[in-house]
Amino acid sequence: MREGAHGTLSVLSAQAPDQQICANMVKMRFLDELSVLRNLELRFIDDDIYTYVGTVLISINPFRMLPLYTPDVLDTYTEKKDAETVLPPHVFALADRAYCELLDKWTDQSVIVSGESGAGKTEATKVLLEYLMEMSRRAGGDKHFAGGDSESLEELCLFAQTILEAFGNAKTVRNDNSSRFGKWIEVFFNRAGTIEGAVMERNYHVFYQLLGQAAKDAELRAKYDLGPPETFFYLNQSSVKTIQGVCEASEFSKLIDALQVFGVDQETMDQIWQTVSSILHLGNIKFDHIHVQNAQTNQDGSKIANPGELELAAKHLGLAVDCLEKALLFHSYGTRSVVYIPYKPSEAAQARDAFAKSLYAGLFNYLGQRINETLKRPGCNPSNKTIGVLDIFGFEILQTNSFEQLCINFCNERLQSHFNEECFRIEQEEYRAEGVEVEEIGYNDNQPCLDMLEKKPSGLFAMIEEEINVPGGSDLNWLQKIYQTHAASDYLAKPSPKDGRDCFKILHYAGDVVYRVEGLLDKSKDALHHDLDVLMDPGASNKKFLTVLKQARIIGPLKDRGGNEDGSAGKKKKSQPTLGMQFCGQLRTLMKKLFQTKPHFIKCLKPNMEKKGGLFIAEEILTQLQYTGIVGLCKIRQIGYPERMPLDEFFDRYKALDFSKRSPEELIMKMAEMCIMKPGLWVLGHTKLLMKHEQHNYVSDALSKVQLKAALMVQRCMRGWWQRRWFQRMRSIRDFIRQAIVARIKDLLTEGLEMMDMEMPMKGDHLPEKVAARKLVARLVDEEKAEAMLASAMETKDMAQLKAAMAYAQEMQYASAALEAAQELLKKMEQELHIRNQLTQAISARTIDALQAAVAMATEANMEETAEVKQAKTILHRLEKEAELKAQYERAVAAGSREEIDRVLTQMAEAGVPLPADARDNLAALEAQTKHHQSVADTKHKLQTATAANDLAAVQEVMLEAHAAGINTEDDTVQVANQYLKGVDQKKADMGALMAACRTLEVKMCSTGGIDRAELEVVHKCITALVGYEFSQEENSQINEAQKILRKGMAVQQCTDGLRKALNERNYEDLSAMHQKAEELEVKCQIVEDVAKMIKEMESQTPEIPMGTMEQILEIARATRWQYHKYSRLRTREQFAKGKYLNRRKTIDGMFFFSKDIIPNSMIDLPTQTNKIAVNINKCLLAFCGTRRTTYPASSAQALMEKGKAISSLRDEVFVQICKHLSQNPDRKSMQRGWILLCLCIELFSPSVEFELFLLNFMVKHSNDELWADYANFCLQRLEEELDLDEEALATNVRQKQVPSIDYITAVINGEITIFDKYRNAGKVAIKPRV
């Protein structure tokens, strides 16, 4: 070892010549194995795990978390750069290249992630998919999709990884997360670059995750009869039961969330866990040897050694115990006459394992079907192109290698051949075809090894199938046959004696592997015996889920894509192909897809076998470099021209650089003159232009600049058109409002104001048209109220109400026809009242002259039909008749005519005129008087009855009769009736006055002038005046409404007084409380605006934290003034939503509440550049809290804290965003992550002095919360510790503190430790609820 400039180098790397470290190894001056090794090791020491070989990406597994996948890093690669800007190698860069080529050339792409087991292929695949999902979101694809929980399609793709890893990956000796299946993911993109759908093709983590959760959940443990891993045979064969840094219960929770997203309900989930637990119990079934002798057989057999495990397996599978037992111990033959042959213990164990594998295969395929059904978007355009990502099982060399390793390594051989084909053979053949002289580079061609493995009929897999079908075929016979057939092969060898005789050795490209032949044929048969297979048929089990699993096992995970290559999945075949031949067929199908795409390669390397972070074993890396052909690739990419484009395609693509050129050659020469084509970086072939990567970047950059210039021109024109259109729209709105103002139409004015609010900056509040329109609308509202009051008063003809309405209209200087009509009506009503008074006086006086004068006045005023006039006329007629009869009597007496006197007296008696004293016929006069008295008595009785019944019409009618009968007005009955009539008139007047007073009060409450106590007293007096009256139902309703108006008026008056008092005392709490109450009561007076202005001024002032104890400061922080959303440096809601067009209103309303969406702008008003960082902080926050899926949440949290530590102006932004995330968040897990992050941030840095009280208020609010009190009080204690420090001391503290490591954050979120632990260990305990 020796010390280099970049750290400690290994002995092998130290032997290489010194040269500059290269991110792209084709630029290295010295190019040999050790130089490549040295370059990779030096970059690894600097945590640069990615390196290019041309366009091939080399990835070295660091075996530890590195901050390479944060939103900031992602943005670096998503923002388009020119050719001069060289970005560091990264899986994001390769993903971006594939994505851009798909859209640019509109051809299918593939990313092939390869390397040995444990080299980091699965992690690279997850990160690559995350990048593609993010690009889809940015292209407009982040829309809800028909998943289990309305997740976007991008989110569903990431959730699918959780399920596939749980059921398809396992811990092995070489890898903690080894893929035990080939994962081919096709992501479909439309022309806009958004995802249209996806398809994913197919002991395991799920067992340990289920048991890890069961260890904490007694109910789950009892339900599925679970125990620790060491109690299950399928799990205790390995000495390793845990993976460092992995919490199985936490991973199980993530798996549950992912299953729910794909619509797996609780019942189905229960069936899944029943199946998983039944597989575990099946593995525990043991078999003892017995001799079976019966009518059908007499031979060795077996029995169940532990019936309890059999019963548990049968219970969870829903099978009868005896049926399962018989299927495990016997296999049947024959159709008509069935013979049962017993299994030996070893054979019974194989049958048990085959059944367990069948169940698990069906379960895995079922989940694959569910995922693909959800991801396959209905109506997906067939013309869409795909980016396929292949994460295949890595090359394996184990202590014991068998059929599984043979398949895995064969697949890796095939992929290495594809790599050689693309990077070496095809490239060199193309140079020769184009007449370009390039040095021949040798490479390890592994095609002979592939032929030995798969070529028919002599390939190893074909010979396995043949041996299985041969009677008496055996593993050893097959071994002898392959030695004979491939005796001359350089890739098959006999192992050394220490390996045993039942082995064979294959010399793979990645190393020599010794395979054991024992059981190889059985493993390849893939034959589940009929007796076990029928247990999964309908009716055999009381659980229908077993039948579903059987169908899934037969069909496979892609039931909508057919099965075999020849499309004969549904046809019945004569013989079932062996697993090996099935595997070969599936691999050929996969390779066929790969050959139809533009490949991008990620070669993953494993730096050490111990899986230790930061350890680089040079010998291990060198071996991988040798067998992967990386050095040869470096050489061919260094001397060759990897970018090759047909001339016609080149011309069509780049003719925009100079449209005057008519041929590719002319265009190329012109580009050379323009210094776009650099000497030595390109060569012209017979049919193609061949370029190095640098040259291709220069050409692409030149085209991008031309396209950018054109795009800017289009944008300029579009923006100009848009601005002109917008200006015309604004002008039309202003013209519309002006016309509405002239027309004085309230509906049009309201419509115009609404258009201004929605479409104009600042809602157009600065425009005179809006000010005038608002005033006019308020005026029109008042005029409408005045018109309504006048119309109501004129309809009821209530003089008091009419006077009140006229007074309101005159007060607001409102002149209208209605007011003139009201004035005329009032004049008429006053005249009629005067005439009525004259009539009443004349009736009381009973003089002919007075009655004649009053009747004449009434006739002139058209009042002939009124009751008073009729009564006066009746009395006048009677008086005139009486005078005439008296005159006639005097003339008759003077004339001395007895007959005339008798006639007159008779008429007097009939007319009820008192007879003269000297009347001769006293008897006739007495009789007439008697009749008159009877008539008076009847009239008085009728009057009493009508008065008692409150019958107004009857009382008025009988009063006329009483007056006609000459009943004295002093009579008690008449006086009672008169009092009743006066009461009715008074009640009517009082009701009118009350309605007028209420309308006036309502208008005043809605005006900016407010109300005073006099107006309230008027309403109160009117209500009091009505006490004692009897009312109809309608009148009772009117009085109740008046009382409500009075109560509201009193509340408004009380609120107004409170506002004045708070304004004078300048008390923030009182001001806020009264202002809120005013808004609830809809108080419109000027003082409300004054209070709002003062509140805003007080909130904008920098708070001064007083000296005192923490308890005293917390008491101050309780005040509503310090609620975090009242922080003066926050943006307005409109500023916050700037640039947001879709769901803008939702964004504005939800500014201070939890949202799954990324914020469009910073919460605090920050400069443009810092604003972008704030948005990335929000991405980190959502990623850490699980709101947005990410592979490395702890890395996101660390990136967020690093930003807060480094940039002091962002610290308040961090705290505000976390407070927003914790406000009305329905997700408990997300809430917990948010509180953890808040605690970690407060440990690292403090809020500004301006924000401290606001943050304390938030903590106090949650300090007694049942769920989050510990976190809130922990934060309060951390803040209390720095209470007495000045700003300089606080800054020093921050500089001295370290951002928590990713491992620590991961341990916290996995529940392995809590954020309180290190304080408890140091003797400090988080404070308990005390606030």
Side-chain angles (χ1 to χ4, degrees):
M1 308 289 284
R2 74 175 176 87
E3 294 293 330
H6 300 267
T8 304
L9 278 176
S10 63
V11 174
L12 281 175
S13 296
Q15 297 174 15
D18 287 339
Q19 59 179 317
Q20 185 179 0
I21 300 176
C22 295
N24 193 333
M25 292 194 293
V26 299
K27 297 181 179 180
M28 291 173 60
R29 188 159 50 95
F30 302 107
L31 198 54
D32 53 51
E33 289 180 349
L34 294 183
S35 295
V36 170
L37 178 66
R38 176 184 182 275
N39 190 74
L40 291 175
E41 184 171 1
L42 288 174
R43 289 181 60 78
F44 184 82
I45 292 171
D46 291 338
D47 286 339
D48 293 326
I49 63 172
Y50 296 117
T51 307
Y52 284 135
V53 178
T55 56
V56 175
L57 183 68
I58 307 297
S59 172
I60 303 180
N61 191 345
F63 287 115
R64 60 193 178 97
M65 287 294 300
L66 295 174
L68 298 177
Y69 314 104
T70 63
D72 286 338
V73 176
L74 189 143
D75 284 346
T76 303
Y77 290 89
T78 55
E79 295 173 355
K80 303 307 175 189
K81 306 292 184 180
D82 56 28
E84 280 71 27
T85 304
V86 179
L87 294 174
H90 201 290
V91 69
F92 287 165
L94 185 134
D96 187 68
R97 189 186 310 123
Y99 180 77
C100 292
E101 287 194 18
L102 175 131
L103 296 180
D104 199 17
K105 300 179 181 178
W106 199 232
T107 57
D108 291 332
Q109 308 288 311
S110 63
V111 180
I112 302 170
V113 188
S114 62
E116 68 175 61
S117 182
K121 300 182 299 300
T122 299
E123 297 304 304
T125 300
K126 289 193 289 187
V127 173
L128 187 143
L129 284 173
E130 275 192 36
Y131 187 88
L132 294 178
M133 302 307 117
E134 180 63 24
M135 293 302 292
S136 175
R137 290 190 191 104
R138 297 190 181 200
D142 196 3
K143 301 181 179 70
H144 285 309
F145 183 70
D149 193 23
S150 298
E151 300 290 340
S152 68
L153 188 53
E154 291 80 5
E155 292 288 323
L156 288 174
C157 289
L158 299 178
F159 273 113
Q161 297 300 308
T162 302
I163 300 174
L164 293 178
E165 276 193 34
F167 286 88
N169 287 27
K171 176 178 172 59
T172 66
V173 176
R174 297 164 63 89
N175 186 3
D176 287 343
N177 192 28
S178 176
S179 296
R180 312 313 295 163
F181 70 107
K183 185 163 56 181
W184 168 248
I185 304 168
E186 283 185 295
V187 185
F188 295 86
F189 290 87
N190 60 23
R191 255 309 192 175
T194 61
I195 292 176
E196 287 287 321
V199 173
M200 302 191 180
E201 305 180 19
R202 78 159 260 174
N203 287 300
Y204 301 100
H205 292 325
V206 68
F207 292 115
Y208 294 96
Q209 292 174 4
L210 179 61
L211 297 181
Q213 180 66 22
K216 296 184 176 182
D217 188 338
E219 183 180 351
L220 186 73
R221 191 165 59 247
K223 183 175 183 180
Y224 301 117
D225 302 295
L226 299 174
E230 53 270 16
T231 62
F232 294 100
F233 174 77
Y234 284 154
L235 304 182
N236 62 24
Q237 300 306 294
S238 169
S239 59
V240 180
K241 305 298 186 301
T242 60
I243 301 175
Q244 184 177 1
V246 175
C247 174
E248 302 296 355
S250 177
E251 295 300 313
F252 184 78
S253 178
K254 294 178 184 177
L255 175 60
I256 293 292
D257 292 341
L259 289 170
Q260 290 174 342
V261 164
F262 281 93
V264 179
D265 56 31
Q266 190 59 47
E267 181 181 355
T268 305
M269 217 173 292
D270 177 63
Q271 297 290 343
I272 291 173
W273 308 138
Q274 294 270 13
T275 305
V276 172
S277 61
S278 70
I279 292 171
L280 291 174
H281 291 297
L282 275 173
N284 280 0
I285 297 175
K286 297 178 181 179
F287 303 93
D288 286 341
H289 176 272
I290 62 170
H291 187 79
V292 179
Q293 183 175 3
N294 53 39
Q296 294 182 331
T297 185
N298 181 14
Q299 62 186 69
D300 290 340
S302 57
K303 68 174 183 178
I304 303 294
N306 48 350
E309 291 292 347
L310 175 72
E311 292 174 1
L312 290 177
K315 165 189 169 184
H316 294 295
L317 290 172
L319 296 169
V321 177
D322 56 344
C323 291
L324 178 59
E325 181 180 19
K326 187 173 184 179
L328 290 174
L329 299 179
F330 297 89
H331 59 283
S332 62
Y333 288 99
T335 53
R336 296 182 180 177
S337 176
V338 181
V339 177
Y340 288 94
I341 307 300
Y343 285 125
K344 296 177 183 178
S346 60
E347 294 172 336
Q350 290 177 1
R352 173 202 65 192
D353 295 343
F355 188 44
K357 289 177 183 178
S358 177
L359 289 170
Y360 198 83
L363 180 58
F364 187 82
N365 288 356
Y366 166 76
L367 292 171
Q369 291 174 9
R370 290 293 296 261
I371 290 171
N372 286 328
E373 286 169 3
T374 305
L375 293 181
K376 188 174 181 182
R377 192 164 188 168
C380 185
N381 192 337
S383 65
N384 287 339
K385 297 300 180 183
T386 66
I387 296 179
V389 183
L390 179 62
D391 172 19
I392 207 71
F393 20 60
F395 191 90
E396 289 189 346
I397 307 177
L398 305 180
Q399 289 181 346
T400 301
N401 302 288
S402 187
F403 180 75
E404 182 188 24
Q405 282 69 44
L406 182 63
C407 292
I408 288 174
N409 294 341
F410 166 55
C411 180
N412 280 271
E413 286 278 2
R414 173 58 69 191
L415 291 178
Q416 180 65 24
S417 175
H418 180 58
F419 176 75
N420 293 340
E421 186 89 0
E422 290 289 335
C423 297
F424 292 99
R425 190 182 64 78
I426 293 177
E427 187 163 338
Q428 294 189 16
E429 287 179 357
E430 195 156 4
Y431 291 148
R432 288 192 289 270
E434 292 295 323
V436 177
E437 292 185 3
V438 174
E439 177 188 349
E440 288 283 343
I441 302 297
Y443 64 93
N444 181 19
D445 187 359
N446 64 338
Q447 186 59 44
C449 183
L450 288 171
D451 292 342
M452 182 191 74
L453 288 168
E454 70 170 338
K455 191 173 182 180
K456 293 183 179 181
S458 60
L460 266 58
F461 286 107
M463 294 180 70
I464 289 174
E465 184 169 33
E466 180 183 355
E467 189 67 21
I468 288 174
N469 294 325
V470 169
S474 67
D475 296 329
L476 293 177
N477 287 343
W478 176 84
L479 181 62
Q480 294 303 319
K481 289 179 180 179
I482 67 169
Y483 279 142
Q484 293 172 5
T485 305
H486 299 284
S489 175
D490 295 333
Y491 296 92
L492 180 68
K494 292 185 178 181
S496 61
K498 67 177 182 179
D499 293 322
R501 291 185 301 174
D502 57 344
C503 302
F504 63 97
K505 182 191 291 186
I506 296 179
L507 282 61
H508 289 286
Y509 79 99
D512 300 347
V513 183
V514 176
Y515 298 95
R516 297 193 66 83
V517 76
E518 182 183 359
L520 189 141
L521 296 185
D522 289 334
K523 291 180 180 178
S524 183
K525 287 178 182 177
D526 188 33
L528 180 68
H529 202 278
H530 175 73
D531 299 274
L532 288 167
D533 189 47
V534 296
L535 294 180
M536 302 172 72
D537 287 342
S541 168
N542 58 21
K543 296 184 185 297
K544 297 180 181 179
F545 193 63
L546 278 187
T547 305
V548 174
L549 296 185
K550 180 176 181 178
Q551 291 300 316
R553 177 174 61 87
I554 295 171
I555 297 172
L558 292 181
K559 64 180 182 180
D560 58 334
R561 290 206 162 193
N564 306 304
E565 286 183 68
D566 58 0
S568 59
K571 298 178 182 179
K572 186 174 181 180
K573 295 197 171 185
K574 294 181 180 179
S575 62
Q576 179 74 13
T578 62
L579 268 182
M581 296 309 294
Q582 291 179 41
F583 186 81
C584 291
Q586 293 169 358
L587 187 55
R588 282 194 295 271
T589 303
L590 173 62
M591 298 311 298
K592 185 178 179 181
K593 290 182 179 179
L594 289 178
F595 281 123
Q596 295 171 349
T597 65
K598 167 65 184 300
H600 304 264
F601 294 98
I602 300 178
K603 307 295 283 186
C604 296
L605 305 180
K606 187 175 182 179
N608 63 80
M609 294 298 123
E610 291 79 13
K611 296 173 279 189
K612 184 177 179 181
L615 179 61
F616 187 97
I617 304 297
E619 291 79 2
E620 298 286 348
I621 293 292
L622 183 60
T623 300
Q624 295 170 67
L625 289 175
Q626 289 169 342
Y627 71 66
T628 54
I630 295 298
V631 178
L633 178 64
C634 291
K635 291 180 179 179
I636 197 170
R637 288 295 163 93
Q638 187 179 61
I639 65 175
Y641 301 90
E643 298 291 342
R644 300 175 292 278
M645 190 177 296
L647 292 175
D648 291 341
E649 182 183 337
F650 179 85
F651 182 70
D652 289 340
R653 181 171 177 75
Y654 294 103
K655 62 184 177 183
L657 295 173
D658 191 340
F659 283 107
S660 65
K661 303 307 175 185
R662 294 290 178 259
S663 69
E665 291 78 9
E666 290 181 15
L667 179 61
I668 292 170
M669 292 303 107
K670 179 63 177 178
M671 291 169 66
E673 293 175 11
M674 297 165 64
C675 295
I676 297 174
M677 306 298 291
K678 308 291 183 180
L681 297 182
W682 62 279
V683 64
L684 188 62
H686 299 316
T687 62
K688 294 182 178 180
L689 177 65
L690 294 85
M691 298 176 285
K692 292 185 181 294
H693 290 302
E694 296 93 329
Q695 180 60 69
H696 183 263
N697 290 339
Y698 290 133
V699 174
S700 299
D701 183 49
L703 180 62
S704 296
K705 289 178 179 177
V706 172
Q707 292 173 336
L708 177 62
K709 186 177 180 181
L712 291 175
M713 183 179 294
V714 172
Q715 287 181 354
R716 184 165 62 250
C717 295
M718 186 64 189
R719 286 171 179 166
W721 172 82
W722 179 262
Q723 288 297 323
R724 287 190 297 275
R725 183 174 177 272
W726 178 83
F727 180 77
Q728 290 170 357
R729 174 64 176 162
M730 297 304 102
R731 187 165 59 183
S732 66
I733 292 175
R734 295 178 71 176
D735 291 341
F736 180 86
I737 290 182
R738 290 192 197 101
Q739 293 171 6
I741 290 174
V742 173
R744 292 176 59 83
I745 301 176
K746 191 183 76 169
D747 291 343
L748 295 181
L749 287 167
T750 303
E751 182 182 351
L753 289 172
E754 288 177 352
M755 287 191 292
M756 273 195 171
D757 287 343
M758 289 188 297
E759 301 185 34
M760 282 194 166
M762 299 182 293
K763 298 183 179 181
D765 292 339
H766 59 293
L767 298 176
E769 291 88 352
K770 186 164 187 179
V771 175
R774 279 179 172 171
K775 290 182 179 179
L776 182 54
V777 168
R779 171 73 181 183
L780 291 175
V781 170
D782 290 344
E783 289 181 1
E784 286 179 356
K785 290 183 178 180
E787 288 280 347
M789 291 174 66
L790 289 170
S792 176
M794 292 171 67
E795 182 181 357
T796 59
K797 293 187 178 180
D798 184 287
M799 189 175 294
Q801 186 177 350
L802 190 60
K803 288 180 178 179
M806 289 173 60
Y808 176 74
Q810 290 167 349
E811 182 183 353
M812 59 181 292
Q813 298 180 349
Y814 175 56
S816 69
L819 179 60
E820 293 177 359
Q823 290 172 338
E824 291 294 329
L825 178 60
L826 180 62
K827 183 178 179 181
K828 182 178 179 182
M829 291 175 66
E830 288 175 343
Q831 182 183 5
E832 289 178 353
L833 181 61
H834 174 69
I835 293 173
R836 285 193 182 93
N837 290 335
Q838 293 295 321
L839 287 168
T840 302
Q841 292 174 5
I843 290 171
S844 299
R846 300 182 67 84
T847 62
I848 292 177
D849 293 341
L851 285 170
Q852 286 177 341
V855 169
M857 290 172 62
T859 302
E860 185 178 355
N862 295 322
M863 296 175 60
E864 291 92 338
E865 298 303 319
T866 61
E868 292 88 347
V869 173
K870 290 180 180 179
Q871 182 181 2
K873 284 183 177 180
T874 301
I875 294 172
L876 178 61
H877 178 71
R878 180 178 177 81
L879 291 175
E880 287 176 345
K881 183 69 174 177
E882 185 177 338
E884 177 63 25
L885 288 174
K886 285 183 179 179
Q888 289 180 9
Y889 177 74
E890 289 175 356
R891 286 196 297 272
V893 170
S897 173
R898 185 170 181 171
E899 292 179 358
E900 185 65 19
I901 291 173
D902 289 340
R903 184 184 66 78
V904 172
L905 288 175
T906 302
Q907 288 181 352
M908 283 184 173
E910 291 175 352
V913 176
L915 296 176
D918 54 351
R920 289 178 301 168
D921 196 352
N922 290 329
L923 183 60
L926 182 59
E927 184 179 352
Q929 189 175 8
T930 301
K931 289 181 179 180
H932 174 67
H933 285 323
Q934 184 62 43
S935 174
V936 168
D938 291 344
T939 300
K940 288 171 69 175
H941 177 71
K942 287 167 62 178
L943 187 59
Q944 288 175 344
T945 303
T947 303
N950 291 326
D951 190 341
L952 177 62
V955 170
Q956 290 175 336
E957 182 180 353
V958 177
M959 280 294 288
L960 293 176
E961 294 179 6
H963 285 302
I967 299 175
N968 194 334
T969 56
E970 299 298 324
D971 184 88
D972 292 342
T973 303
V974 175
Q975 285 185 349
V976 170
N978 278 328
Q979 288 176 358
Y980 168 75
L981 291 174
K982 287 179 182 179
V984 170
D985 291 339
Q986 186 61 44
K987 183 181 75 172
K988 186 176 181 181
D990 290 344
M991 284 292 292
L994 176 61
M995 294 299 102
C998 287
R999 288 191 179 90
T1000 302
L1001 184 59
E1002 282 185 301
V1003 172
K1004 288 286 188 177
M1005 282 193 292
C1006 296
S1007 66
T1008 56
I1011 60 175
D1012 52 39
R1013 294 190 181 278
E1015 289 156 343
L1016 293 172
E1017 290 173 359
V1018 170
V1019 177
H1020 184 264
K1021 287 180 179 179
C1022 290
I1023 293 175
T1024 305
L1026 289 169
V1027 175
Y1029 289 117
E1030 294 185 7
F1031 301 103
S1032 64
Q1033 185 176 356
E1034 181 182 358
E1035 289 170 334
N1036 275 322
S1037 177
Q1038 291 175 339
I1039 292 173
N1040 290 335
E1041 187 64 29
Q1043 289 173 337
K1044 290 180 182 178
I1045 294 172
L1046 177 61
R1047 285 194 294 271
K1048 183 177 179 181
M1050 293 171 68
V1052 170
Q1053 177 63 37
Q1054 184 180 4
C1055 180
T1056 305
D1057 293 342
L1059 288 170
R1060 290 194 183 94
K1061 181 180 178 183
L1063 197 61
N1064 293 332
E1065 296 177 354
R1066 298 179 63 86
N1067 183 293
Y1068 179 86
E1069 294 299 318
D1070 293 344
L1071 285 168
S1072 298
M1074 296 311 300
H1075 186 265
Q1076 183 177 357
K1077 187 174 181 180
E1079 288 182 337
E1080 293 171 357
L1081 292 172
E1082 299 180 351
V1083 181
K1084 305 294 184 182
C1085 59
Q1086 181 62 39
I1087 194 172
V1088 177
E1089 296 182 10
D1090 296 339
V1091 167
K1093 190 180 296 183
M1094 178 170 286
I1095 289 173
K1096 191 171 183 180
E1097 290 175 0
M1098 295 176 74
E1099 289 178 346
S1100 64
Q1101 296 171 359
T1102 302
E1104 294 184 3
I1105 300 180
M1107 299 299 292
T1109 65
M1110 187 64 171
E1111 285 75 11
Q1112 292 171 332
I1113 294 174
L1114 291 179
E1115 190 61 35
I1116 295 171
R1118 288 175 182 275
T1120 57
R1121 172 187 177 181
W1122 307 116
Q1123 292 172 346
Y1124 87 95
H1125 63 269
K1126 296 181 179 179
Y1127 185 34
S1128 61
R1129 290 183 57 209
L1130 293 174
R1131 292 179 184 268
T1132 65
R1133 293 176 185 266
E1134 288 73 19
Q1135 290 172 338
F1136 174 70
K1138 184 178 180 181
K1140 185 81 172 179
Y1141 300 105
L1142 296 175
N1143 299 321
R1144 177 180 173 83
R1145 175 49 54 187
K1146 178 183 174 183
T1147 302
I1148 290 175
D1149 294 340
M1151 178 178 177
F1152 299 109
F1153 306 109
F1154 165 78
S1155 173
K1156 290 186 176 182
D1157 299 326
I1158 298 170
I1159 59 174
N1161 294 287
S1162 60
M1163 300 287 289
I1164 294 174
D1165 196 358
L1166 297 172
T1168 304
Q1169 191 58 33
T1170 316
N1171 176 56
K1172 183 178 179 182
I1173 300 175
V1175 173
N1176 276 344
I1177 284 175
N1178 190 248
K1179 292 179 183 177
C1180 291
L1181 170 63
L1182 296 179
F1184 175 72
C1185 294
T1187 307
R1188 293 178 74 86
R1189 298 287 294 178
T1190 183
T1191 305
Y1192 306 112
S1195 179
S1196 297
Q1198 188 186 58
L1200 180 149
M1201 287 185 279
E1202 285 176 345
K1203 294 293 184 190
K1205 182 177 186 293
I1207 307 173
S1208 59
S1209 60
L1210 281 174
R1211 292 170 190 166
D1212 288 351
E1213 174 72 21
V1214 169
F1215 289 123
V1216 170
Q1217 286 193 27
I1218 297 176
C1219 291
K1220 167 184 167 65
H1221 187 82
L1222 296 176
S1223 299
Q1224 297 187 14
N1225 187 339
D1227 188 341
R1228 182 171 173 178
K1229 294 179 183 177
S1230 178
M1231 282 281 286
Q1232 184 180 29
R1233 290 277 185 94
W1235 275 107
I1236 289 173
L1237 184 59
L1238 183 56
C1239 293
L1240 292 173
C1241 287
I1242 284 182
E1243 276 193 285
L1244 186 62
F1245 49 79
S1246 300
S1248 68
V1249 174
E1250 292 88 349
F1251 189 67
E1252 191 161 6
L1253 281 175
F1254 295 93
L1255 188 58
L1256 287 172
N1257 177 278
F1258 188 83
M1259 300 303 172
V1260 170
K1261 177 182 176 183
H1262 293 88
S1263 60
N1264 290 318
D1265 191 294
E1266 181 179 354
L1267 293 175
W1268 317 118
D1270 284 346
Y1271 296 101
N1273 286 294
F1274 175 85
C1275 293
L1276 287 172
Q1277 181 170 317
R1278 301 289 78 75
L1279 291 172
E1280 183 178 12
E1281 290 173 357
E1282 299 181 342
L1283 185 63
D1284 299 329
L1285 300 181
D1286 56 24
E1287 291 190 13
E1288 184 177 350
L1290 288 172
T1292 302
N1293 271 1
V1294 173
R1295 286 194 297 270
Q1296 292 174 348
K1297 292 178 180 178
Q1298 296 295 322
V1299 176
S1301 68
I1302 293 177
D1303 291 338
Y1304 173 77
I1305 299 171
T1306 302
V1308 171
I1309 62 179
N1310 284 342
E1312 298 171 13
I1313 60 174
T1314 72
I1315 54 174
F1316 315 122
D1317 285 349
K1318 65 179 181 181
Y1319 284 88
R1320 293 193 181 106
N1321 296 337
K1324 300 178 181 180
V1325 181
I1327 55 178
K1328 294 301 178 185
R1330 58 172 183 178
V1331 183

